[in-house]
Amino acid sequence: MITLTVNGVPHQVDAAPDTPLLYALRNDLGLNGAKFGCGLGQCGACTVLVDDKPAFSCLLPIAALAERKVRTIESLGTREKPGALPAAFEAEQAAQCGYCIAGMIMRAQALLERTTRPTEAELRAHMAPNLCRCGTHMRVLRAVRRAAIAMGGGVRNDAEDAL
Amino acid sequence: MSALTRRRLLGQGALVVAFSLSRRAMGQVAEKRPTLPGDLDKFPLLDSWIRIDADGHITVFTGKAELGQGLKTALVQVAADELAVPPAGIELITADTARTPDEGVTAGSHSLQDSGTAILNAAANVRVLLTEAAAWRWLVAVEEVELHDGAAHAPNGDSLGYGELAAMLSLHVEAKPNVARREKGVRLIGTNLPRVDIPAKVTGGVAYVQDMRLPGMLHARVVRGPSEGTRLKPADFDAVARMPGVVQVVRDGGFTAVLATQEWQAIKALQRLQSAGWDRPGAKLPAEDMREAIRRLPSREVPIFDDPGPPAPADGKVVRARYSRPCLMHGSIGPSCAVALWENDGVTVWTHSQGVYPLRKSLAELLRLPADKVRCIHTEGSGCYGHNGADDVAADAALAARAVPGRPVRLQWMREQEHGWEPLGSAMVVELEATLADGRIAGWRHDVWSNAHSTRPATAGGLLAGAELDPPFPRQVPRPIPMPEGGGHRNGNPLYALTNAKGTYHFIEQMPVRVSALRSLGAHMNVFAIECFMDELAQAAGADPLAFRLAHMADGRAREVMQTAADRFGWAGRAQGGGGRGWGFAFARYKNLAAYCAVAMEVAVDRDSGDIKIRRVVAAVDSGEAVNPDGIRNQIEGAIVQSLSWTIHEAVAFDTTHRSSFDWSAYPIVRFDALPASVEVHVIDRPRQPFLGTGEAGQGPAAAALANAVADAVSLRIRDMPLAPEKVKAVLRS
């Protein structure tokens, strides 16, 4: 048994110590947010926060997480009461198939917890580890900008510099 | 129909379902009927599409599937609008072989045209029947009855819910043609109704087949070599069967799957089975670039179009160019997945296939079951953009589940399996020749070489597992898709007013690598070539690219789309291209029968690195009546970004033994740091005009606008995709 602290709650997980966190979250804890995309740390569909930093849950063995705090999109509110980022993604209709979106939201959450006033270039660089195949990127950026404002900050527009 | 008859029909529910899902051709009435709109013509019975329970609950059925394109929302809007109910009053059932009409595959930007039109007209018919029932009950004229909010309202204030009205009549009747649409009241069509599927997707709800967890469910992995055409060497199956959590190793001919209690256990068993190495039993792959390789194979000439006209004058200026693209990957972010449950000598498969009915037929053959013992239920997956691993993984899951009757099996492909085994978008070559006389096009020849653009399963031989079982099922023979839709020749006939113009599709049957439908099929390449060539011709004629296009365009809606994109972009006021900055424009009407789309783009090319930065993209689109304008914008924005990724970043790589683009490091796609600075989409609404499919309309114009902008920036034309930095740099040095 390995103890995992997920969204503030300790859970006993009966799985091999080398099991990546992703499978424990999805199959043992029944959390849907983190998705299997590549298992290689290349696409970000599995992104969660570990001790407030974005991490690829497909690469982290659960044995390494006993003392660490894991957060998933399920901690950012509910359908009825969504948090700032989920609400902003909904307001901007920032999804097509949506498979990548939970990972996008968690990566953006890490940024906005660090600063609610990033520059556009920082925002784009920060989001670069996460892939989207539908081409919803422009809406994802709009949603993060909207959430930054809702959180009392705002993304500083240096779009020209960003290029 | 009387209430008694209605009750009698309700008492024979199963029979009603079976009959309402039967095709018109199988119907019992032989008389000739007028044509009905969309897929209503194939399934004319109203209750194939719409049912209303006695409590007023409305269920709408579509044979099309949600692929992330917003289909569910748009169809709810269409039905709710015409039935005058709030969107929450509609329960929508999508593609399910036990419940919905067989509308083939959800592809080709057809859903709104085929299913949306059917539902719209079925709803109009139902609304008329409800109105008539209310008028009859109240003994008033039908004009005096008003329908809104799920009830009929009489002039004296009386009201009757749809449920009560529906109980007075039967929807098991054929639709009438030309039923007028609702005139009065609040409209839903044309509004930006928020997508019904997004709330679950942004809050960690159950949203995908990947999220299904059935009681007692096992996790499975299919065991294959690193890519299509390879084979694993024999492994120690007994040792793997003894690994922790492994329930069974399923082997059937060359098909192998592992089933385990936990997902990670199945993955470890897979890795163990893959560790013995692999070989390539068949012919080696060509060593040269795939587009050159297929160009050398035998081809069959398929005419695309032939518009005769006076021959071009002998002193005309002849311009020729050759364009090409490599093989491209669908590259779904989520590897394909299916859940299958084998019970009572049959199987139920939850699948993100684009075609549940063709899949059912293929699975029935593969599993040697009657079709009615196979049920395929569409359940959302990661976006597919065409024929990816969805159907194959459904077969893999069904074969795995057959070994453990009564236990649900969830089987997902690994990343390397999706990259290695998905059918690719075919490599293509286009050669164009035109003659200019007095600044106008006086002759046009279009030749396109390509493999098939659809090898979707229609038989067991269209599934990967079909070739692995012993004996194997015969492979499907690919065929060209006929015009006006076309496959490799899709959009090979320019919408421009041309005479003395001819197009030929050189269809190459022999496929060195597995290929199939990729979003927009041949249109990405044909529009790229035609629209690049229009710029080359404009340059040769000394004309502005937009003015040259407009001078050859008679279609008023096409002209308006081009002019709108140009005006919103500020085309007329743009600076002179060159010195690394450039402006490009492109247009196409998808398939010459779906949405019109024009794209204008500004780029900056770094002459040292060859890197293309996209400063601004402005698009205009005419999708006919815009059911959900924001949904259209979302599709076109996505099409532009995806097409830019294809056109700048992507090419599937091979060596002679296998496909070497095995993951995102070996097949990079666009990331956030390489995006356009801005993308704007302007929707031109055409109320009461037919819906025009939009999902694939942007692929070609975006690719060509980019290449035209790059040519404007560096005064050199790059005709072979991808426009990768190394290639741009090499061209600049040459």
Side-chain angles (χ1 to χ4, degrees), chain B residues 573-597:
Chain B
R574 75 193 188 284
Q576 177 81 35
R581 282 187 82 184
W583 287 264
F585 193 90
F587 162 83
R589 182 182 190 194
Y590 188 49
K591 299 187 274 189
N592 290 359
L593 49 77
Y596 300 81
C597 180

Side-chain angles (χ1 to χ4, degrees), chain B residues 276-340:
Chain B
W278 56 274
D279 60 12
R280 182 181 185 85
K284 287 209 180 309
L285 289 171
E288 64 200 318
D289 188 287
M290 197 55 71
R291 59 198 118 179
E292 307 305 331
I294 61 165
R295 180 76 176 71
R296 276 182 232 290
L297 292 172
S299 64
R300 173 161 33 126
E301 290 194 1
V302 179
I304 307 174
F305 71 109
D306 189 356
D307 293 334
D315 60 348
K317 186 174 185 177
V318 179
V319 182
R320 293 187 186 89
R322 179 186 189 273
Y323 305 86
S324 72
R325 83 163 197 192
C327 286
L328 297 173
M329 206 175 271
H330 299 79
S332 298
I333 295 298
S336 295
C337 182
V339 175

Side-chain angles (χ1 to χ4, degrees), chain A residues 42 93 96-97 133 160, chain B residues 195 208 329 615 650 671:
Chain A
Q42 296 176 345
Q93 295 285 287
Q96 288 189 41
C97 85
R133 190 52 165 166
E160 289 291 311
Chain B
R195 283 256 302 266
Y208 306 94
M329 206 175 271
R615 305 182 77 90
E650 301 184 28
R671 289 185 182 269

Side-chain angles (χ1 to χ4, degrees), chain B residues 317 436 438-440 534-545 547-548:
Chain B
K317 186 174 185 177
L436 284 170
D438 299 327
R440 292 190 59 85
M534 287 299 280
D535 261 39
E536 300 201 55
L537 292 174
Q539 192 179 24
D544 174 78
F548 186 77

Side-chain angles (χ1 to χ4, degrees), chain A residues 14-20 22-23 25-45 58 73-83 85-87 89-102 104-105 120 123-142 145 159-160 162-163, chain B residues 66-70 193-208 210-213 219 221 262-264 267-268 328-335 380-385 410 412-416 518-519 613-615 630-631 633-635 637-639 641-642 645-646 650 662-667 669-679:
Chain A
D14 183 12
D18 64 345
T19 305
L22 173 68
Y23 302 105
L25 293 174
R26 292 187 59 82
N27 301 331
D28 296 282
L29 305 187
L31 300 172
N32 301 306
K35 298 285 189 292
F36 176 73
C38 64
L40 304 160
Q42 296 176 345
C43 76
C58 71
I73 195 167
E74 285 82 359
S75 69
L76 302 186
T78 61
R79 275 180 79 142
E80 292 67 34
K81 281 193 166 183
L85 269 165
F89 273 69
E90 201 172 333
E92 295 290 347
Q93 295 285 287
Q96 288 189 41
C97 85
Y99 195 87
C100 69
I101 292 298
M104 294 278 182
I105 289 177
E120 181 71 19
L123 168 60
R124 291 179 183 221
H126 177 85
M127 297 304 292
N130 285 43
L131 291 175
C132 166
R133 190 52 165 166
C134 296
T136 318
H137 306 70
M138 307 308 292
R139 285 174 184 246
V140 168
L141 294 173
R142 290 207 285 275
R145 289 185 210 122
E160 289 291 311
L163 288 174
Chain B
E66 175 68 57
L67 310 175
Q69 81 282 45
L193 180 72
R195 283 256 302 266
V196 296
D197 52 331
I198 286 184
K201 291 176 176 177
V202 299
T203 53
V206 172
Y208 306 94
Q210 284 88 348
D211 299 333
M212 283 183 68
R213 288 179 208 91
H219 290 276
R221 288 295 181 273
Q262 294 185 359
E263 193 168 8
W264 183 240
I267 294 169
K268 285 205 283 193
L328 297 173
M329 206 175 271
H330 299 79
S332 298
I333 295 298
E380 273 191 74
S382 182
C384 60
Y385 329 106
R410 176 190 183 278
Q412 184 166 21
W413 279 5
M414 303 303 289
R415 166 52 46 204
E416 306 88 309
L518 172 67
R519 191 177 186 180
K613 295 183 189 327
I614 299 154
R615 305 182 77 90
D630 190 59
R633 279 193 291 274
N634 202 351
Q635 282 295 289
E637 283 173 31
V641 172
Q642 186 181 65
S645 181
W646 291 357
E650 301 184 28
F662 56 90
D663 69 2
W664 296 121
S665 70
Y667 188 82
I669 63 172
V670 72
R671 289 185 182 269
F672 275 93
D673 48 2
L675 286 178
S678 75
V679 178

Side-chain angles (χ1 to χ4, degrees), chain B residues 239-577:
Chain B
V240 170
R242 290 192 301 270
M243 287 175 70
V246 172
V247 172
Q248 199 167 334
V249 180
V250 178
R251 297 177 66 198
D252 191 338
F255 174 86
T256 307
V258 287
L259 288 88
T261 313
Q262 294 185 359
E263 193 168 8
W264 183 240
Q265 294 165 337
I267 294 169
K268 285 205 283 193
L270 165 67
Q271 290 169 345
R272 177 90 170 258
L273 289 169
Q274 287 172 325
S275 63
W278 56 274
D279 60 12
R280 182 181 185 85
K284 287 209 180 309
L285 289 171
E288 64 200 318
D289 188 287
M290 197 55 71
R291 59 198 118 179
E292 307 305 331
I294 61 165
R295 180 76 176 71
R296 276 182 232 290
L297 292 172
S299 64
R300 173 161 33 126
E301 290 194 1
V302 179
I304 307 174
F305 71 109
D306 189 356
D307 293 334
D315 60 348
K317 186 174 185 177
V318 179
V319 182
R320 293 187 186 89
R322 179 186 189 273
Y323 305 86
S324 72
R325 83 163 197 192
C327 286
L328 297 173
M329 206 175 271
H330 299 79
S332 298
I333 295 298
S336 295
C337 182
V339 175
L341 174 60
W342 193 283
E343 56 183 1
N344 304 326
D345 303 318
V347 67
T348 301
V349 184
W350 290 266
T351 168
H352 55 97
S353 166
Q354 288 173 277
V356 289
Y357 277 95
L359 175 63
R360 177 176 74 165
K361 180 174 174 288
S362 306
L363 288 180
E365 187 186 350
L366 183 86
L367 302 166
R368 302 185 191 283
L369 288 174
D372 64 3
K373 285 287 183 185
V374 180
R375 180 179 182 187
C376 296
I377 304 172
H378 185 270
T379 311
E380 273 191 74
S382 182
C384 60
Y385 329 106
H387 178 195
N388 67 349
D391 297 289
D392 297 313
V393 81
D396 297 342
L399 286 168
R402 185 165 66 177
V404 284
R407 292 200 78 170
V409 172
R410 176 190 183 278
L411 193 152
Q412 184 166 21
W413 279 5
M414 303 303 289
R415 166 52 46 204
E416 306 88 309
Q417 292 177 323
E418 190 76 33
H419 266 63
W421 291 84
E422 67 142 275
L424 303 171
S426 177
M428 298 179 74
V429 175
V430 172
E431 290 179 7
L432 284 165
E433 177 186 306
T435 308
L436 284 170
D438 299 327
R440 292 190 59 85
I441 301 167
W444 182 281
R445 297 291 178 273
H446 184 119
D447 288 274
V448 52
W449 286 263
S450 170
N451 275 145
H453 280 259
S454 177
T455 62
R456 292 181 188 279
T459 66
L463 298 162
L464 281 180
E468 294 169 334
L469 298 186
D470 185 18
F473 289 87
R475 284 191 190 269
Q476 289 180 186
V477 177
R479 289 193 197 89
I481 300 168
M483 293 300 276
E485 303 266 327
H489 47 333
R490 181 168 291 180
N491 275 90
N493 47 347
L495 195 64
Y496 298 106
L498 303 175
T499 59
N500 179 26
K502 191 176 171 182
T504 307
Y505 177 22
H506 305 264
F507 176 78
I508 304 160
E509 189 178 300
Q510 203 179 317
M511 297 179 290
V513 291
R514 185 179 193 222
V515 293
S516 193
L518 172 67
R519 191 177 186 180
S520 85
L521 309 194
H524 172 242
M525 181 65 215
N526 287 312
V527 171
F528 175 84
I530 290 166
E531 288 295 298
C532 284
F533 198 53
M534 287 299 280
D535 261 39
E536 300 201 55
L537 292 174
Q539 192 179 24
D544 174 78
L546 174 65
F548 186 77
R549 284 174 171 80
L550 290 171
H552 288 87
M553 181 55 72
D555 184 316
R557 287 170 74 171
R559 296 176 64 89
E560 191 174 335
V561 162
M562 284 197 252
Q563 199 62 58
T564 302
D567 292 347
R568 300 286 188 139
F569 183 78
W571 181 258
R574 75 193 188 284
Q576 177 81 35

